[in-house]
PDB file of all heavy atoms in Angstrom:
ATOM      1  N   VAL B   1      -4.382  19.024   7.073  1.00 98.00           N
ATOM      2  CA  VAL B   1      -3.579  18.589   5.904  1.00 98.00           C
ATOM      3  C   VAL B   1      -2.575  17.496   6.273  1.00 98.00           C
ATOM      4  O   VAL B   1      -2.056  17.400   7.285  1.00 98.00           O
ATOM      5  CB  VAL B   1      -2.834  19.878   5.344  1.00 98.00           C
ATOM      6  CG1 VAL B   1      -1.787  20.437   6.355  1.00 98.00           C
ATOM      7  CG2 VAL B   1      -2.003  19.501   4.087  1.00 98.00           C
ATOM      8  N   VAL B   2      -2.499  16.527   5.400  1.00 98.00           N
ATOM      9  CA  VAL B   2      -1.621  15.438   5.574  1.00 98.00           C
ATOM     10  C   VAL B   2      -0.140  15.803   5.198  1.00 98.00           C
ATOM     11  O   VAL B   2       0.031  16.241   4.055  1.00 98.00           O
ATOM     12  CB  VAL B   2      -2.046  14.122   4.704  1.00 98.00           C
ATOM     13  CG1 VAL B   2      -1.022  13.048   4.807  1.00 98.00           C
ATOM     14  CG2 VAL B   2      -3.421  13.720   5.190  1.00 98.00           C
ATOM     15  N   LEU B   3       0.776  15.669   6.158  1.00 98.00           N
ATOM     16  CA  LEU B   3       2.109  16.060   5.966  1.00 98.00           C
ATOM     17  C   LEU B   3       3.101  14.994   5.747  1.00 98.00           C
ATOM     18  O   LEU B   3       4.284  15.124   5.505  1.00 98.00           O
ATOM     19  CB  LEU B   3       2.608  16.930   7.087  1.00 98.00           C
ATOM     20  CG  LEU B   3       1.814  18.165   7.442  1.00 98.00           C
ATOM     21  CD1 LEU B   3       2.225  18.812   8.696  1.00 98.00           C
ATOM     22  CD2 LEU B   3       1.752  19.162   6.212  1.00 98.00           C
ATOM     23  N   GLY B   4       2.655  13.664   5.807  1.00 98.00           N
ATOM     24  CA  GLY B   4       3.529  12.510   5.639  1.00 98.00           C
ATOM     25  C   GLY B   4       2.588  11.269   5.760  1.00 98.00           C
ATOM     26  O   GLY B   4       1.692  11.261   6.488  1.00 98.00           O
ATOM     27  N   VAL B   5       3.071  10.250   5.048  1.00 98.00           N
ATOM     28  CA  VAL B   5       2.257   9.014   5.042  1.00 98.00           C
ATOM     29  C   VAL B   5       3.101   7.723   5.226  1.00 98.00           C
ATOM     30  O   VAL B   5       2.596   6.617   5.314  1.00 98.00           O
ATOM     31  CB  VAL B   5       1.521   8.795   3.689  1.00 98.00           C
ATOM     32  CG1 VAL B   5       0.524   9.977   3.591  1.00 98.00           C
ATOM     33  CG2 VAL B   5       2.371   8.737   2.488  1.00 98.00           C
ATOM     34  N   ALA B   6       4.457   7.824   5.405  1.00 98.00           N
ATOM     35  CA  ALA B   6       5.226   6.702   5.448  1.00 98.00           C
ATOM     36  C   ALA B   6       5.482   6.178   6.960  1.00 98.00           C
ATOM     37  O   ALA B   6       5.122   6.976   7.899  1.00 98.00           O
ATOM     38  CB  ALA B   6       6.661   7.003   4.849  1.00 98.00           C
ATOM     39  N   GLN B   7       6.002   5.103   7.129  1.00 97.00           N
ATOM     40  CA  GLN B   7       6.415   4.547   8.423  1.00 97.00           C
ATOM     41  C   GLN B   7       7.717   5.295   8.910  1.00 97.00           C
ATOM     42  O   GLN B   7       8.157   6.164   8.196  1.00 97.00           O
ATOM     43  CB  GLN B   7       6.761   2.973   8.231  1.00 97.00           C
ATOM     44  CG  GLN B   7       7.020   2.264   9.544  1.00 97.00           C
ATOM     45  CD  GLN B   7       8.589   2.124   9.742  1.00 97.00           C
ATOM     46  OE1 GLN B   7       9.339   2.544   8.962  1.00 97.00           O
ATOM     47  NE2 GLN B   7       8.835   1.523  10.959  1.00 97.00           N
ATOM     48  N   ASP B   8       8.091   5.035  10.179  1.00 96.00           N
ATOM     49  CA  ASP B   8       9.016   5.848  10.821  1.00 96.00           C
ATOM     50  C   ASP B   8      10.325   6.224  10.011  1.00 96.00           C
ATOM     51  O   ASP B   8      10.819   7.311  10.141  1.00 96.00           O
ATOM     52  CB  ASP B   8       9.494   5.135  12.168  1.00 96.00           C
ATOM     53  CG  ASP B   8       8.411   4.882  13.088  1.00 96.00           C
ATOM     54  OD1 ASP B   8       7.215   4.648  12.707  1.00 96.00           O
ATOM     55  OD2 ASP B   8       8.559   5.051  14.309  1.00 96.00           O
ATOM     56  N   GLY B   9      10.887   5.161   9.281  1.00 95.00           N
ATOM     57  CA  GLY B   9      12.074   5.426   8.524  1.00 95.00           C
ATOM     58  C   GLY B   9      11.861   6.131   7.260  1.00 95.00           C
ATOM     59  O   GLY B   9      12.810   6.490   6.543  1.00 95.00           O
ATOM     60  N   GLY B  10      10.638   6.398   6.816  1.00 97.00           N
ATOM     61  CA  GLY B  10      10.322   6.948   5.580  1.00 97.00           C
ATOM     62  C   GLY B  10      10.713   6.071   4.329  1.00 97.00           C
ATOM     63  O   GLY B  10      11.041   4.975   4.495  1.00 97.00           O
ATOM     64  N   ARG B  11      10.747   6.827   3.215  1.00 97.00           N
ATOM     65  CA  ARG B  11      11.187   6.111   2.006  1.00 97.00           C
ATOM     66  C   ARG B  11      11.834   7.074   1.046  1.00 97.00           C
ATOM     67  O   ARG B  11      11.321   8.187   0.790  1.00 97.00           O
ATOM     68  CB  ARG B  11       9.912   5.507   1.206  1.00 97.00           C
ATOM     69  CG  ARG B  11      10.300   4.536   0.048  1.00 97.00           C
ATOM     70  CD  ARG B  11       9.087   3.951  -0.555  1.00 97.00           C
ATOM     71  NE  ARG B  11       8.402   4.920  -1.422  1.00 97.00           N
ATOM     72  CZ  ARG B  11       8.406   4.834  -2.798  1.00 97.00           C
ATOM     73  NH1 ARG B  11       9.068   3.994  -3.389  1.00 97.00           N
ATOM     74  NH2 ARG B  11       7.821   5.690  -3.467  1.00 97.00           N
ATOM     75  N   PRO B  12      13.165   6.802   0.624  1.00 97.00           N
ATOM     76  CA  PRO B  12      13.913   5.622   0.859  1.00 97.00           C
ATOM     77  C   PRO B  12      14.289   5.317   2.334  1.00 97.00           C
ATOM     78  O   PRO B  12      14.367   6.345   3.064  1.00 97.00           O
ATOM     79  CB  PRO B  12      15.124   5.745  -0.080  1.00 97.00           C
ATOM     80  CG  PRO B  12      15.152   7.307  -0.370  1.00 97.00           C
ATOM     81  CD  PRO B  12      13.778   7.867  -0.162  1.00 97.00           C
ATOM     82  N   HIS B  13      14.456   4.102   2.616  1.00 95.00           N
ATOM     83  CA  HIS B  13      14.641   3.607   3.995  1.00 95.00           C
ATOM     84  C   HIS B  13      16.145   3.178   4.152  1.00 95.00           C
ATOM     85  O   HIS B  13      16.736   2.502   3.275  1.00 95.00           O
ATOM     86  CB  HIS B  13      13.782   2.470   4.170  1.00 95.00           C
ATOM     87  CG  HIS B  13      13.553   2.006   5.623  1.00 95.00           C
ATOM     88  ND1 HIS B  13      14.381   1.115   6.230  1.00 95.00           N
ATOM     89  CD2 HIS B  13      12.594   2.269   6.513  1.00 95.00           C
ATOM     90  CE1 HIS B  13      13.957   0.957   7.500  1.00 95.00           C
ATOM     91  NE2 HIS B  13      12.780   1.592   7.654  1.00 95.00           N
ATOM     92  N   LEU B  14      16.755   3.684   5.221  1.00 95.00           N
ATOM     93  CA  LEU B  14      18.151   3.321   5.474  1.00 95.00           C
ATOM     94  C   LEU B  14      18.340   1.853   5.449  1.00 95.00           C
ATOM     95  O   LEU B  14      17.676   1.118   6.198  1.00 95.00           O
ATOM     96  CB  LEU B  14      18.645   3.911   6.844  1.00 95.00           C
ATOM     97  CG  LEU B  14      20.075   3.638   7.247  1.00 95.00           C
ATOM     98  CD1 LEU B  14      21.021   4.300   6.362  1.00 95.00           C
ATOM     99  CD2 LEU B  14      20.273   4.047   8.659  1.00 95.00           C
ATOM    100  N   GLY B  15      19.336   1.399   4.559  1.00 93.00           N
ATOM    101  CA  GLY B  15      19.678   0.082   4.559  1.00 93.00           C
ATOM    102  C   GLY B  15      18.922  -0.796   3.560  1.00 93.00           C
ATOM    103  O   GLY B  15      19.172  -1.989   3.377  1.00 93.00           O
ATOM    104  N   CYS B  16      17.864  -0.187   2.927  1.00 92.00           N
ATOM    105  CA  CYS B  16      17.100  -0.941   2.016  1.00 92.00           C
ATOM    106  C   CYS B  16      17.660  -0.751   0.586  1.00 92.00           C
ATOM    107  O   CYS B  16      17.720   0.347   0.100  1.00 92.00           O
ATOM    108  CB  CYS B  16      15.534  -0.527   2.123  1.00 92.00           C
ATOM    109  SG  CYS B  16      14.552  -1.405   0.869  1.00 92.00           S
ATOM    110  N   GLU B  17      17.987  -1.796  -0.120  1.00 93.00           N
ATOM    111  CA  GLU B  17      18.459  -1.795  -1.445  1.00 93.00           C
ATOM    112  C   GLU B  17      17.516  -2.500  -2.403  1.00 93.00           C
ATOM    113  O   GLU B  17      17.916  -2.680  -3.550  1.00 93.00           O
ATOM    114  CB  GLU B  17      19.876  -2.531  -1.503  1.00 93.00           C
ATOM    115  CG  GLU B  17      20.898  -1.830  -0.636  1.00 93.00           C
ATOM    116  CD  GLU B  17      22.140  -2.515  -0.547  1.00 93.00           C
ATOM    117  OE1 GLU B  17      22.237  -3.746  -1.078  1.00 93.00           O
ATOM    118  OE2 GLU B  17      23.174  -1.993  -0.104  1.00 93.00           O
ATOM    119  N   ALA B  18      16.265  -2.756  -1.906  1.00 93.00           N
ATOM    120  CA  ALA B  18      15.273  -3.277  -2.812  1.00 93.00           C
ATOM    121  C   ALA B  18      14.694  -2.240  -3.630  1.00 93.00           C
ATOM    122  O   ALA B  18      14.953  -1.063  -3.524  1.00 93.00           O
ATOM    123  CB  ALA B  18      14.147  -3.921  -1.950  1.00 93.00           C
ATOM    124  N   VAL B  19      13.929  -2.682  -4.730  1.00 95.00           N
ATOM    125  CA  VAL B  19      13.387  -1.806  -5.657  1.00 95.00           C
ATOM    126  C   VAL B  19      12.437  -0.689  -5.155  1.00 95.00           C
ATOM    127  O   VAL B  19      12.422   0.443  -5.540  1.00 95.00           O
ATOM    128  CB  VAL B  19      12.589  -2.563  -6.856  1.00 95.00           C
ATOM    129  CG1 VAL B  19      11.345  -3.273  -6.270  1.00 95.00           C
ATOM    130  CG2 VAL B  19      12.244  -1.606  -7.960  1.00 95.00           C
ATOM    131  N   CYS B  20      11.806  -1.018  -3.932  1.00 94.00           N
ATOM    132  CA  CYS B  20      10.863  -0.067  -3.339  1.00 94.00           C
ATOM    133  C   CYS B  20      11.662   1.281  -2.983  1.00 94.00           C
ATOM    134  O   CYS B  20      11.100   2.299  -3.041  1.00 94.00           O
ATOM    135  CB  CYS B  20      10.175  -0.592  -2.112  1.00 94.00           C
ATOM    136  SG  CYS B  20      11.313  -1.327  -0.938  1.00 94.00           S
ATOM    137  N   CYS B  21      12.884   1.144  -2.589  1.00 95.00           N
ATOM    138  CA  CYS B  21      13.682   2.286  -2.150  1.00 95.00           C
ATOM    139  C   CYS B  21      14.676   2.755  -3.130  1.00 95.00           C
ATOM    140  O   CYS B  21      14.938   3.951  -3.326  1.00 95.00           O
ATOM    141  CB  CYS B  21      14.367   1.926  -0.834  1.00 95.00           C
ATOM    142  SG  CYS B  21      13.249   1.838   0.591  1.00 95.00           S
ATOM    143  N   GLU B  22      15.244   1.801  -3.872  1.00 96.00           N
ATOM    144  CA  GLU B  22      16.115   2.186  -5.025  1.00 96.00           C
ATOM    145  C   GLU B  22      15.315   3.056  -6.045  1.00 96.00           C
ATOM    146  O   GLU B  22      15.912   4.025  -6.501  1.00 96.00           O
ATOM    147  CB  GLU B  22      16.692   1.050  -5.681  1.00 96.00           C
ATOM    148  CG  GLU B  22      17.851   0.280  -4.989  1.00 96.00           C
ATOM    149  CD  GLU B  22      19.056   1.279  -4.689  1.00 96.00           C
ATOM    150  OE1 GLU B  22      19.437   1.966  -5.540  1.00 96.00           O
ATOM    151  OE2 GLU B  22      19.502   1.273  -3.466  1.00 96.00           O
ATOM    152  N   SER B  23      14.155   2.663  -6.256  1.00 95.00           N
ATOM    153  CA  SER B  23      13.319   3.605  -7.255  1.00 95.00           C
ATOM    154  C   SER B  23      13.159   4.952  -6.730  1.00 95.00           C
ATOM    155  O   SER B  23      13.290   6.018  -7.428  1.00 95.00           O
ATOM    156  CB  SER B  23      12.024   2.947  -7.642  1.00 95.00           C
ATOM    157  OG  SER B  23      11.235   2.754  -6.472  1.00 95.00           O
ATOM    158  N   ALA B  24      12.907   5.030  -5.450  1.00 95.00           N
ATOM    159  CA  ALA B  24      12.667   6.389  -4.886  1.00 95.00           C
ATOM    160  C   ALA B  24      13.959   7.257  -4.854  1.00 95.00           C
ATOM    161  O   ALA B  24      14.030   8.414  -5.130  1.00 95.00           O
ATOM    162  CB  ALA B  24      12.255   6.218  -3.316  1.00 95.00           C
ATOM    163  N   ARG B  25      15.109   6.486  -4.561  1.00 96.00           N
ATOM    164  CA  ARG B  25      16.414   7.222  -4.684  1.00 96.00           C
ATOM    165  C   ARG B  25      16.755   7.721  -5.974  1.00 96.00           C
ATOM    166  O   ARG B  25      17.108   8.914  -6.190  1.00 96.00           O
ATOM    167  CB  ARG B  25      17.525   6.286  -4.185  1.00 96.00           C
ATOM    168  CG  ARG B  25      17.463   5.933  -2.716  1.00 96.00           C
ATOM    169  CD  ARG B  25      18.729   5.149  -2.275  1.00 96.00           C
ATOM    170  NE  ARG B  25      18.602   4.718  -0.926  1.00 96.00           N
ATOM    171  CZ  ARG B  25      18.246   3.471  -0.594  1.00 96.00           C
ATOM    172  NH1 ARG B  25      18.098   2.588  -1.469  1.00 96.00           N
ATOM    173  NH2 ARG B  25      18.123   3.157   0.771  1.00 96.00           N
ATOM    174  N   ASN B  26      16.449   6.827  -7.063  1.00 96.00           N
ATOM    175  CA  ASN B  26      16.760   7.211  -8.389  1.00 96.00           C
ATOM    176  C   ASN B  26      15.889   8.334  -8.906  1.00 96.00           C
ATOM    177  O   ASN B  26      16.309   9.170  -9.695  1.00 96.00           O
ATOM    178  CB  ASN B  26      16.607   5.992  -9.373  1.00 96.00           C
ATOM    179  CG  ASN B  26      17.599   4.872  -9.030  1.00 96.00           C
ATOM    180  OD1 ASN B  26      18.676   5.264  -8.530  1.00 96.00           O
ATOM    181  ND2 ASN B  26      17.236   3.679  -9.424  1.00 96.00           N
ATOM    182  N   GLU B  27      14.626   8.505  -8.331  1.00 95.00           N
ATOM    183  CA  GLU B  27      13.759   9.504  -8.727  1.00 95.00           C
ATOM    184  C   GLU B  27      13.960  10.766  -7.872  1.00 95.00           C
ATOM    185  O   GLU B  27      13.288  11.708  -8.115  1.00 95.00           O
ATOM    186  CB  GLU B  27      12.277   9.063  -8.600  1.00 95.00           C
ATOM    187  CG  GLU B  27      11.946   7.841  -9.510  1.00 95.00           C
ATOM    188  CD  GLU B  27      10.605   7.182  -9.147  1.00 95.00           C
ATOM    189  OE1 GLU B  27      10.024   7.740  -8.196  1.00 95.00           O
ATOM    190  OE2 GLU B  27      10.233   6.175  -9.692  1.00 95.00           O
ATOM    191  N   GLY B  28      14.779  10.719  -6.867  1.00 95.00           N
ATOM    192  CA  GLY B  28      14.924  11.859  -6.003  1.00 95.00           C
ATOM    193  C   GLY B  28      13.683  12.090  -5.125  1.00 95.00           C
ATOM    194  O   GLY B  28      13.489  13.223  -4.672  1.00 95.00           O
ATOM    195  N   ARG B  29      12.948  10.969  -4.853  1.00 95.00           N
ATOM    196  CA  ARG B  29      11.666  11.026  -4.088  1.00 95.00           C
ATOM    197  C   ARG B  29      11.933  10.733  -2.598  1.00 95.00           C
ATOM    198  O   ARG B  29      12.711   9.950  -2.229  1.00 95.00           O
ATOM    199  CB  ARG B  29      10.656  10.013  -4.636  1.00 95.00           C
ATOM    200  CG  ARG B  29       9.393   9.932  -3.832  1.00 95.00           C
ATOM    201  CD  ARG B  29       8.328   9.200  -4.432  1.00 95.00           C
ATOM    202  NE  ARG B  29       7.106   9.105  -3.612  1.00 95.00           N
ATOM    203  CZ  ARG B  29       5.902   8.791  -4.017  1.00 95.00           C
ATOM    204  NH1 ARG B  29       5.711   8.558  -5.274  1.00 95.00           N
ATOM    205  NH2 ARG B  29       4.950   8.711  -3.130  1.00 95.00           N
ATOM    206  N   VAL B  30      11.310  11.609  -1.769  1.00 96.00           N
ATOM    207  CA  VAL B  30      11.494  11.363  -0.360  1.00 96.00           C
ATOM    208  C   VAL B  30       9.959  11.394   0.223  1.00 96.00           C
ATOM    209  O   VAL B  30       9.204  12.283   0.080  1.00 96.00           O
ATOM    210  CB  VAL B  30      12.266  12.434   0.314  1.00 96.00           C
ATOM    211  CG1 VAL B  30      12.232  12.254   1.925  1.00 96.00           C
ATOM    212  CG2 VAL B  30      13.670  12.413  -0.144  1.00 96.00           C
ATOM    213  N   ASP B  31       9.609  10.182   0.893  1.00 97.00           N
ATOM    214  CA  ASP B  31       8.386  10.058   1.504  1.00 97.00           C
ATOM    215  C   ASP B  31       8.511  10.171   3.013  1.00 97.00           C
ATOM    216  O   ASP B  31       9.206   9.310   3.594  1.00 97.00           O
ATOM    217  CB  ASP B  31       7.653   8.780   1.091  1.00 97.00           C
ATOM    218  CG  ASP B  31       7.314   8.796  -0.344  1.00 97.00           C
ATOM    219  OD1 ASP B  31       6.424   9.608  -0.695  1.00 97.00           O
ATOM    220  OD2 ASP B  31       7.842   8.048  -1.072  1.00 97.00           O
ATOM    221  N   SER B  32       7.922  11.139   3.723  1.00 98.00           N
ATOM    222  CA  SER B  32       8.284  11.383   5.128  1.00 98.00           C
ATOM    223  C   SER B  32       7.221  10.664   5.958  1.00 98.00           C
ATOM    224  O   SER B  32       6.242  10.178   5.504  1.00 98.00           O
ATOM    225  CB  SER B  32       8.028  12.873   5.454  1.00 98.00           C
ATOM    226  OG  SER B  32       8.942  13.697   4.619  1.00 98.00           O
ATOM    227  N   PRO B  33       7.653  10.382   7.366  1.00 98.00           N
ATOM    228  CA  PRO B  33       6.829   9.686   8.205  1.00 98.00           C
ATOM    229  C   PRO B  33       5.483  10.315   8.464  1.00 98.00           C
ATOM    230  O   PRO B  33       5.254  11.494   8.230  1.00 98.00           O
ATOM    231  CB  PRO B  33       7.682   9.661   9.521  1.00 98.00           C
ATOM    232  CG  PRO B  33       9.095   9.844   8.990  1.00 98.00           C
ATOM    233  CD  PRO B  33       9.019  10.714   7.818  1.00 98.00           C
ATOM    234  N   ALA B  34       4.482   9.524   8.864  1.00 98.00           N
ATOM    235  CA  ALA B  34       3.061   9.959   8.999  1.00 98.00           C
ATOM    236  C   ALA B  34       3.064  11.187   9.959  1.00 98.00           C
ATOM    237  O   ALA B  34       3.623  11.139  11.099  1.00 98.00           O
ATOM    238  CB  ALA B  34       2.293   8.768   9.598  1.00 98.00           C
ATOM    239  N   CYS B  35       2.241  12.174   9.536  1.00 98.00           N
ATOM    240  CA  CYS B  35       2.040  13.355  10.303  1.00 98.00           C
ATOM    241  C   CYS B  35       0.980  14.088   9.749  1.00 98.00           C
ATOM    242  O   CYS B  35       0.773  14.068   8.495  1.00 98.00           O
ATOM    243  CB  CYS B  35       3.355  14.125  10.169  1.00 98.00           C
ATOM    244  SG  CYS B  35       3.299  15.810  10.992  1.00 98.00           S
ATOM    245  N   ILE B  36       0.230  14.864  10.599  1.00 98.00           N
ATOM    246  CA  ILE B  36      -0.858  15.747  10.052  1.00 98.00           C
ATOM    247  C   ILE B  36      -0.646  17.089  10.742  1.00 98.00           C
ATOM    248  O   ILE B  36      -0.263  17.208  11.875  1.00 98.00           O
ATOM    249  CB  ILE B  36      -2.278  15.098  10.305  1.00 98.00           C
ATOM    250  CG1 ILE B  36      -2.523  14.918  11.708  1.00 98.00           C
ATOM    251  CG2 ILE B  36      -2.498  13.894   9.442  1.00 98.00           C
ATOM    252  CD1 ILE B  36      -3.963  14.482  12.008  1.00 98.00           C
ATOM    253  N   GLY B  37      -1.130  18.097  10.029  1.00 98.00           N
ATOM    254  CA  GLY B  37      -1.166  19.433  10.656  1.00 98.00           C
ATOM    255  C   GLY B  37      -2.625  19.980  10.580  1.00 98.00           C
ATOM    256  O   GLY B  37      -3.441  19.496   9.718  1.00 98.00           O
ATOM    257  N   ILE B  38      -2.892  20.978  11.396  1.00 98.00           N
ATOM    258  CA  ILE B  38      -4.242  21.616  11.452  1.00 98.00           C
ATOM    259  C   ILE B  38      -4.068  23.092  11.630  1.00 98.00           C
ATOM    260  O   ILE B  38      -3.171  23.690  12.334  1.00 98.00           O
ATOM    261  CB  ILE B  38      -5.050  21.032  12.664  1.00 98.00           C
ATOM    262  CG1 ILE B  38      -5.383  19.532  12.394  1.00 98.00           C
ATOM    263  CG2 ILE B  38      -6.374  21.838  12.738  1.00 98.00           C
ATOM    264  CD1 ILE B  38      -6.036  18.876  13.609  1.00 98.00           C
ATOM    265  N   TYR B  39      -4.896  23.803  10.781  1.00 98.00           N
ATOM    266  CA  TYR B  39      -4.791  25.283  10.766  1.00 98.00           C
ATOM    267  C   TYR B  39      -6.176  25.864  11.234  1.00 98.00           C
ATOM    268  O   TYR B  39      -7.215  25.448  10.761  1.00 98.00           O
ATOM    269  CB  TYR B  39      -4.537  25.816   9.386  1.00 98.00           C
ATOM    270  CG  TYR B  39      -4.552  27.262   9.166  1.00 98.00           C
ATOM    271  CD1 TYR B  39      -3.673  28.087   9.909  1.00 98.00           C
ATOM    272  CD2 TYR B  39      -5.388  27.836   8.190  1.00 98.00           C
ATOM    273  CE1 TYR B  39      -3.710  29.481   9.701  1.00 98.00           C
ATOM    274  CE2 TYR B  39      -5.395  29.208   7.942  1.00 98.00           C
ATOM    275  CZ  TYR B  39      -4.622  30.046   8.703  1.00 98.00           C
ATOM    276  OH  TYR B  39      -4.631  31.368   8.442  1.00 98.00           O
TER     277      TYR B  39
END
C-alpha cells in the first residue's frame, strides 16, 4: 500500500508561499513524503 507520494518536505512545504502550498494549507491538505508499506 502506498503511504506517501511527496518529496521529503511534503506538501504544504515549509517556507513555500506559492499557490501549490497555499492551496493545500487552505484546504487542510497534507501530502506526506514517499513511503510504502507491505502486509
Side-chain angles (χ1 to χ4, degrees):
V1 60
V2 173
L3 303 174
V5 300
Q7 185 264 358
D8 298 38
R11 190 176 78 106
H13 195 275
L14 179 64
C16 177
E17 298 175 348
V19 64
C20 56
C21 291
E22 283 299 316
S23 61
R25 291 188 186 101
N26 293 337
E27 296 167 5
R29 172 170 180 163
V30 177
D31 294 294
S32 299
C35 175
I36 60 176
I38 296 174
Y39 175 60

